[in-house]
Amino acid sequence: MYLCPHCAKDNSVNMPPKGVLKTYYDYDKIKNQYGNRLKDEISPLFLPLLPIENADSFGSLMQGETPLLKSNQENQTFELFLKDDSRMPTFSFKDRASFLVSAWAKEQGIETIITASTGNAGSSLAGICASQKQKAIICVPQNAPKAKMTQILMYGARIIPVAGTYDDAFDLSVALTEKYGVFNRNTAYNPFTIEGKKSIAFELFRQMNFYTPDRIFVSCGDGVIISGVYKGFEDLLKVGLIDKIPHIVAVQAEGSNNIVRNLHADKHTFKTSKTIADSISVDLPRNFYMSLDFLKTYKGQGVEVSDDEILKASKSLSSENGVFSEPAAAAAYAGLLKQSAAKKIADSEKVVVLLSGSGLKDINAVQSEIKIPEAINSTEFLEDFKF
């Protein structure tokens, strides 16, 4: 079962799906069982709050433990940290979900997994399935970045380019799941993708010496990453390890703003997306209702940034911090820069920007921000060169 059958019966092709399932645990039992030892269980995997029986089910590739980098930029008054998930095995945050789904499938004896992807989730599933001796089938829109499709093919997965958008690829993967019974990893369809992505909250809690950051900037497309971040902190709240949820800021591209634009709307409307940040370009956010519920319940915020702001943020992030992120990840940093310029961040705050993918995933997107010099005559250059 992927969706609640009662809620899903009202679903239509032109609206986000209802009935996305949420995973619950016996929080009181966990508190009573572990007591003061609960913090110790967070490193490296917090198995009491995961639907996995054995840590060995995650396989041999590195899981999580990505660096939390301290940023010390000029004129910065608050404490800023960069959570660099481009250091994951396939270079994106999506590995967190793929690890969990693959591990659960392994424990259930499932050998083949399918997903729809603009590239990152597909390359993630393909790489992790390769390490787990599982088969992966990836449906991608035909205009997915070449680097991401190359990754998928190099990992040995079967790739199905779809004439259309991510939403078309998503629909095809679901149709194949329904027809052939293959296990589906789709975000906001398989509930365990959220359980995998929430691991970043556990890591942040531990890396910040068992405190929560005050504010977290998260790029949003279909709403699953931000739901995962919220779910992780919500679980920590329910077992009594924290007493507050961080202020989370959902950052979307102006050309793909179907979550932020609807955050306080009386009637939900959706428009076709167009942005340079392909990984967060979504017409119908598949986890729309859960992400909005989290944002409203815990008083989160939405910020929109232009493609130009995203590209400038990507360049600034690289040249000033040494972290090269793809546009979809740099959007979160653009959101930070926008709120900082508007003086919306207090000097005392500890702020985290979640950077979800490597810039090497889509080098074509940032060509407007650089200029490669022409070749020179080395002898003449040596004579004329000055530092």
Side-chain angles (χ1 to χ4, degrees), residues 301-363:
Q301 192 176 1
V303 173
E304 296 180 27
V305 291
S306 67
D307 278 3
D308 186 57
E309 288 173 318
I310 290 172
L311 290 174
K312 284 181 168 52
S314 180
K315 184 65 169 66
S316 170
L317 188 59
S318 302
S319 61
E320 296 178 18
N321 295 281
V323 180
F324 181 28
S325 294
E326 66 172 317
Y333 191 70
L336 163 86
L337 296 178
K338 197 163 192 173
Q339 282 209 341
S340 178
K343 307 295 183 184
K344 292 185 177 181
I345 304 175
D347 292 351
S348 60
E349 287 193 46
K350 295 182 185 295
V351 181
V352 172
V353 176
L354 172 55
L355 301 174
S356 53
S358 169
L360 295 176
K361 294 271 193 173
D362 190 6
I363 59 172

Side-chain angles (χ1 to χ4, degrees), residues 10-16 167 171 284 286:
D10 297 324
N11 284 338
S12 61
V13 295
N14 59 346
M15 291 293 288
D167 299 271
D171 292 340
L284 290 175
R286 301 290 169 163

Side-chain angles (χ1 to χ4, degrees), residues 61-239:
L61 288 183
M62 177 193 75
Q63 302 150 35
E65 301 302 297
T66 56
L68 183 65
L69 309 171
K70 183 74 177 291
S71 175
N72 294 301
Q73 293 178 214
E74 190 176 352
N75 300 322
Q76 180 182 294
T77 57
F78 48 85
E79 282 193 85
L80 175 60
F81 300 87
L82 307 174
K83 181 63 170 165
D84 185 11
D85 257 33
S86 70
R87 312 285 187 94
M88 295 290 279
T90 74
F91 318 115
S92 87
F93 182 98
K94 301 299 178 70
D95 285 346
R96 295 182 183 274
S98 296
F99 272 129
L100 199 290
V101 171
S102 172
W104 191 87
K106 186 175 183 179
E107 291 187 348
Q108 309 306 314
I110 297 170
E111 297 181 352
T112 303
I113 309 174
I114 190 171
T115 196
S117 172
T118 57
N120 278 341
S123 55
S124 168
L125 182 65
I128 290 166
C129 280
S131 74
Q132 294 270 58
K133 308 305 179 189
Q134 295 166 322
K135 297 177 182 178
I137 302 171
I138 317 297
C139 301
V140 301
Q142 61 185 355
N143 62 349
K146 188 175 181 180
K148 296 177 182 179
M149 288 199 279
T150 299
Q151 258 192 298
I152 292 169
L153 290 168
M154 288 299 291
Y155 288 135
R158 179 177 180 180
I159 190 170
I160 305 174
V162 178
T165 65
Y166 166 74
D167 299 271
D168 296 314
F170 189 103
D171 292 340
L172 175 62
S173 72
V174 171
L176 290 169
T177 296
E178 292 173 346
K179 184 173 182 178
Y180 297 105
V182 64
F183 189 48
N184 195 303
R185 176 230 180 270
N186 281 357
T187 55
Y189 187 65
N190 187 320
F192 291 153
T193 57
I194 293 171
E195 294 305 286
K197 292 182 181 186
K198 77 179 184 184
S199 64
I200 196 165
F202 300 160
E203 278 185 38
L204 286 172
F205 178 58
R206 193 185 70 257
Q207 288 175 323
M208 300 190 80
N209 297 316
F210 303 109
Y211 290 94
T212 57
D214 297 298
R215 187 181 300 253
I216 305 175
F217 288 84
V218 183
S219 298
C220 279
D222 56 22
V224 174
I225 291 181
I226 198 165
S227 295
V229 175
Y230 267 123
K231 179 61 161 55
F233 284 110
E234 185 179 68
D235 281 356
L236 294 178
L237 184 71
K238 288 182 176 181
V239 295

